[in-house]
Amino acid sequence: MGLRSLFKSGNDSSEGSRKEFNWIPLEEEDQLEKITKRSATVPQVIFKNSTTCGISGIVRRTFETQHASVEGKADMYLLHIQHQRQLSSEVSRLFGIRHESPQLLIIKNGKVVHHTSHGQISYTDLSDWV
């Protein structure tokens, strides 16, 4: 019996029915130009995620659950910082925001209109921005 089964109620079917969040992988520097240009018409969201940090994983899953209804109203990018450290630094430089992880950036008209990190991400209501 694994830990997951210890904390799961007998009638909990959320794991099997949980909708997959459709992230766009942010893996290439040339995507940043597209994000900047497209932000003039469609809000752009970048979520910087640490694949080795449990807090980052929890915050990401919470974010996905809280904002499933906003999907399709913004382009949602996921940047795994361990695999794309240089790109993560370029995001920070380009938008003038200090790097943190996990971190959420909302971009409109080529500028970051909202950013936050760690547990504060859970208090962001994306519907206010998209």
Side-chain angles (χ1 to χ4, degrees):
M1 176 187 303
L3 281 176
R4 196 174 280 246
S5 61
L6 285 173
F7 296 104
K8 194 168 136 183
S9 67
N11 60 1
D12 182 10
S13 62
S14 63
E15 186 176 329
S17 64
R18 185 173 174 263
K19 181 183 173 283
E20 186 68 28
F21 203 81
N22 292 312
W23 291 107
I24 301 167
L26 182 50
E27 300 173 330
E28 303 291 332
E29 196 168 318
D30 63 350
Q31 287 176 280
L32 296 178
E33 184 178 342
K34 177 184 175 186
I35 288 169
T36 302
K37 285 180 181 177
R38 191 158 156 79
S39 72
T41 56
V42 177
Q44 305 291 292
V45 176
I46 297 174
F47 190 103
K48 288 184 174 184
N49 179 59
S50 171
T51 57
T52 58
C53 173
I55 292 172
S56 190
I58 291 167
V59 169
R60 188 182 111 207
R61 285 187 297 279
T62 301
F63 177 87
E64 291 171 347
T65 301
Q66 288 176 330
H67 301 293
S69 64
V70 178
E71 226 182 337
K73 297 177 183 173
D75 294 338
M76 312 290 277
Y77 287 89
L78 182 63
L79 173 65
H80 293 297
I81 62 167
Q82 282 82 2
H83 306 295
Q84 303 296 336
R85 184 64 182 132
Q86 186 172 341
L87 182 57
S88 178
S89 295
E90 183 58 20
V91 167
S92 297
R93 187 200 64 74
L94 178 66
F95 295 111
I97 304 297
R98 189 183 89 188
H99 165 77
E100 296 188 62
S101 175
Q103 185 174 41
L104 179 72
L105 292 87
I106 303 170
I107 302 149
K108 290 175 127 180
N109 298 314
K111 301 201 181 314
V112 173
V113 295
H114 179 74
H115 68 93
T116 190
S117 67
H118 297 85
Q120 293 301 309
I121 293 171
S122 298
Y123 296 107
T124 298
D125 186 349
L126 264 188
S127 64
D128 290 343
W129 302 99
V130 298

